[in-house]
Amino acid sequence: MRIILVQGDITERRADAIVNAANSSLLGGGGVDGAIHRRGGPEILAECRALRASAYPEGLPTGHAVATTAGRLQARWVIHTVGPVHSRSEDRSHLLASCYRASLGVAAELGAHTVAFPAISTGIYGWPLDDGARIALKTVRETPAPGVEEVSFVLFDATAYAEFDRALRGPGQAVDN
């Protein structure tokens, strides 16, 4: 699978599936979540409400993933995943890795060939960017996702791009961007 880095707005990315760093309510919020809901339109919210009414009445658990339509985005699907809030007293890295694994699993089930990820949990949830980048790239590299040919990390600013670039260019790693 090819991994690329892009600095920009994930809501403008063309991909089969765009991953949303959602909150557990699935009903929109701030950051990436709010931007995806605003740009994607009411179709996304309608499907999220249906998911809450059926499969996830208590909300989507941290580390899990579920897909909806992408509405007006340049994608077929939005894959919603709930990242963990960073904690200095508890190692939650397995939950962050689970977000990437579960999202790739959903993408493969959908038949997505291209998937765009944000830097999950590195915003308001306080995950250190360097560690978030390391976990994201390691997990994507190690997760089998039949049919997924390209994963892009769409990073909002130069700081996030630089951290992901550093992690991608780690010792002995091939780079394709």
Side-chain angles (χ1 to χ4, degrees):
M1 150 186 349
R2 183 173 163 221
I3 297 174
I4 62 170
L5 306 179
V6 177
Q7 184 178 333
D9 180 346
I10 197 165
T11 66
E12 296 175 357
R13 184 77 179 159
R14 285 187 185 273
D16 293 331
I18 291 176
V19 177
N20 180 18
N23 64 52
S24 63
S25 78
L26 294 175
L27 303 179
V32 170
D33 192 19
I36 284 174
H37 275 270
R38 280 189 303 276
R39 181 103 204 243
E43 300 88 354
I44 296 172
L45 183 58
E47 285 193 23
C48 285
R49 283 190 174 134
L51 285 166
R52 283 298 306 273
S54 60
Y56 300 102
E58 303 298 316
L60 185 66
T62 301
H64 292 229
V66 65
T68 65
T69 182
R72 298 181 204 142
L73 296 171
Q74 297 182 58
R76 290 185 64 190
W77 304 284
V78 171
I79 299 172
H80 306 267
T81 190
V82 180
V85 174
H86 183 261
S87 170
R88 291 187 178 159
S89 62
E90 178 185 354
D91 181 9
R92 298 179 180 167
S93 57
H94 66 285
L95 291 170
L96 183 56
S98 180
C99 291
Y100 292 99
R101 266 194 308 279
S103 295
L104 285 171
V106 170
E109 288 173 17
L110 292 168
H113 298 291
T114 57
V115 181
F117 280 99
I120 298 167
S121 286
T122 63
I124 191 125
Y125 285 9
W127 206 280
L129 200 46
D130 59 339
D131 194 46
R134 181 190 60 77
I135 291 168
L137 290 162
K138 180 180 188 308
T139 304
V140 167
R141 282 185 178 119
E142 294 176 355
T143 301
V148 177
E149 298 166 2
E150 179 184 282
V151 169
S152 57
F153 286 93
V154 184
L155 307 155
F156 190 70
D157 61 24
T159 302
Y161 184 94
E163 284 297 339
F164 270 74
D165 189 49
R166 247 188 300 282
L168 187 64
R169 294 177 187 276
Q173 299 299 330
V175 176
D176 186 11
N177 59 335

